[in-house]
Amino acid sequence: MGKVVIGVDPHKRLNAVCVVDSRGQVVASDQFDNSAAGFRELKKFWRQWPQRSWAVEGANGVGKHLAQRLVAEGETVLDVSTRRAALARVHAGGNGRKTDDTDAESIAMVGLRTSGLAQVRPDALTVELKLLANRRDELVSMRIQAACRIHRDLVVVLPGGVSKRLSARYARQVLARVRPRDELGRLRRQLLADQVSDLEAIDRKILAINKQIRAKIKAAKTTVTDVFGFGPINTTRMLGDVGNVARFKSRHHFASYNGTAPTVWGSGGPSQPAVNPKGNRKLNHAIHLAAVTQVRSKTSEGHAYYARKVAEGKTHKEAMRALKRRISDTVYRHLVADAAASAERGPGGQVGATPTASATGSTPTAGSSARPQPGPRSKATPPAA
């Protein structure tokens, strides 16, 4: 029996599966529950074809759980984007009918015929980093809310309130000076003391998760921290949200994903360049923080680049956007270099992958998976163009 490609259209409750041979003929199709029992049935199903590979739609989205389980079983899994699968379904005809079976068949055909698809790798580390980054963001948001509530109530018991930069220790000191004389005042002081205790608990959690993040980034052996403005917190967000850098064909694709690449806007005439409000805003924020750090440091080349752009007549925002794009390019080069180093180190290093050939074994087409060579890295060096 020849080699087959198993296409999977993943859903929340079930996974639609279609098997095609090397000629593109459908061999079998079925649906399995997205559960432990359903996965055991799927294992019995796929063992019919010893020579097999997988094509999973959205292996970084809704299909991530299944894709990672298949990789853990030693299977070869290719990531098929929703756009590619939709185009394959439209060009296949069928009067535009869309069902789980036709979707799974389209995904399998993309895996069979398309070169340069990214191969899914184990990504336990990047998932951990994303979870830590998300949890820290939640804790910071909770701290802001707790501090705002303390400010709100301190204004009532203390004329004029306190300074904006409020710490739990300072709030305790202020509260110790409050001496209410009536029952209402004592109740307010008691509730304020509870809120300060909440703030202290949140601060302890933030310190603990910061320690976790620093340990994980050290274990990741990433060079993204060499980019000026990327400390452990910013790097955690970058690695966690990017995941497998092989998803991005070039630095331009990566810049489009993180929102630092410009877009065009217009109708009924020439389109005009415009700011890109889309993309991953968390990554965009991380790059923005790095840009602000570089501009504030007068010894960094990022500050010199920003000043040069302003001297050319660009506004502050335009110069910042140009600097953010350059930072995006440099971060991309570091991610690619980390992925290459991880592949050399083998399992245990930072997760990374390079685009693979299609399931038929053909090599990627020219330009489809080209990567720029990593440039020199320096803590004080801003991204190169």
Side-chain angles (χ1 to χ4, degrees):
M1 185 178 295
K3 186 174 182 180
V4 300
V5 178
I6 306 176
V8 182
D9 181 27
H11 296 277
K12 181 179 179 180
R13 301 187 183 279
L14 61 88
N15 295 308
V17 175
C18 180
V19 184
V20 298
D21 59 21
S22 58
R23 298 174 298 173
Q25 300 297 319
V26 176
V27 177
S29 62
D30 207 339
Q31 294 185 0
F32 301 90
D33 291 338
N34 193 8
S35 62
F39 189 75
R40 288 194 294 269
E41 294 177 5
L42 180 60
K43 288 179 69 174
K44 296 178 182 178
F45 175 79
W46 84 54
R47 285 171 180 164
Q48 303 176 59
W49 301 278
Q51 300 182 27
R52 60 184 177 268
S53 61
W54 295 76
V56 179
E57 182 182 36
N60 286 293
V62 68
K64 188 180 187 70
H65 177 69
L66 177 63
Q68 289 297 318
R69 292 196 68 177
L70 291 172
V71 171
E73 292 286 337
E75 300 294 308
T76 300
V77 183
L78 302 179
D79 183 14
V80 176
S81 68
T82 303
R83 181 179 61 84
R84 287 183 182 272
L87 289 174
R89 185 181 67 250
V90 170
H91 290 299
N95 297 323
R97 287 192 295 268
K98 185 180 186 304
T99 64
D100 292 335
D101 291 338
T102 57
D103 284 348
E105 181 181 352
S106 301
I107 295 164
M109 294 301 296
V110 172
L112 178 68
R113 303 266 174 87
T114 305
S115 61
L117 295 177
Q119 183 173 337
V120 179
R121 305 290 186 186
D123 62 350
L125 178 59
T126 55
V127 172
E128 288 177 359
L129 292 175
K130 186 170 185 178
L131 291 173
L132 288 173
N134 289 340
R135 177 56 178 165
R136 188 183 185 280
D137 286 349
E138 291 171 355
L139 289 173
V140 170
S141 178
M142 291 167 60
R143 191 194 187 284
I144 293 172
Q145 294 175 12
C148 287
R149 286 193 292 267
I150 294 173
H151 274 295
R152 176 198 64 194
D153 293 341
L154 277 177
V155 170
V156 179
V157 300
L158 190 69
V162 296
S163 61
K164 293 182 179 180
R165 299 184 66 85
L166 180 68
S167 66
R169 181 180 179 181
Y170 180 57
R172 284 286 184 196
Q173 294 174 353
V174 171
L175 202 58
R177 300 198 301 265
V178 176
R179 295 288 187 269
R181 298 181 179 180
D182 57 359
E183 190 66 27
L184 178 59
R186 284 190 287 272
L187 176 61
R188 282 184 171 141
R189 189 183 186 282
Q190 173 197 335
L191 296 178
L192 266 169
D194 289 343
Q195 293 177 25
V196 173
S197 298
D198 293 341
L199 184 61
E200 291 171 336
I202 295 172
D203 284 342
R204 287 193 296 270
K205 291 180 180 180
I206 292 176
L207 288 175
I209 204 166
N210 285 347
K211 185 177 180 180
Q212 274 186 283
I213 286 174
R214 286 193 293 270
K216 290 293 181 182
I217 289 299
K218 185 176 180 180
K221 302 183 186 304
T222 178
T223 61
V224 174
T225 51
D226 293 341
V227 181
F228 195 96
F230 273 88
I233 305 301
N234 243 10
T235 304
T236 298
R237 170 57 65 192
M238 182 61 64
L239 298 183
D241 275 44
V242 169
N244 185 359
V245 71
R247 296 190 293 146
F248 308 106
K249 297 179 180 179
S250 67
R251 61 189 177 92
H252 308 295
H253 188 189
F254 179 65
S256 178
Y257 177 76
N258 61 46
T260 58
T263 185
V264 291
W265 186 265
S267 178
S271 299
Q272 299 297 322
V275 178
N276 186 1
K278 299 181 180 179
N280 187 314
R281 304 317 298 174
K282 292 181 179 179
L283 289 185
N284 190 279
H285 180 64
I287 295 173
H288 179 79
L289 292 178
V292 170
T293 303
Q294 290 190 16
V295 169
R296 288 178 177 177
S297 176
K298 295 184 179 180
T299 59
S300 71
E301 293 187 17
H303 177 85
Y305 174 80
Y306 168 82
R308 188 164 65 250
K309 288 297 178 182
V310 172
E312 291 173 359
K314 293 187 179 296
T315 64
H316 165 71
K317 290 185 177 180
E318 290 172 342
M320 285 294 289
R321 285 196 292 268
L323 178 58
K324 286 171 65 176
R325 173 57 194 270
R326 288 165 68 89
I327 292 175
S328 171
D329 292 346
T330 288
V331 169
Y332 175 78
R333 288 200 300 273
H334 281 257
L335 291 171
V336 172
D338 288 346
S342 176
E344 293 175 0
R345 290 194 301 265
Q350 182 196 345
V351 174
T354 54
T356 65
S358 66
T360 58
S362 60
T363 57
T365 57
S368 63
S369 59
R371 300 289 191 196
Q373 294 298 319
R377 300 183 292 271
S378 172
K379 195 75 175 178
T381 303

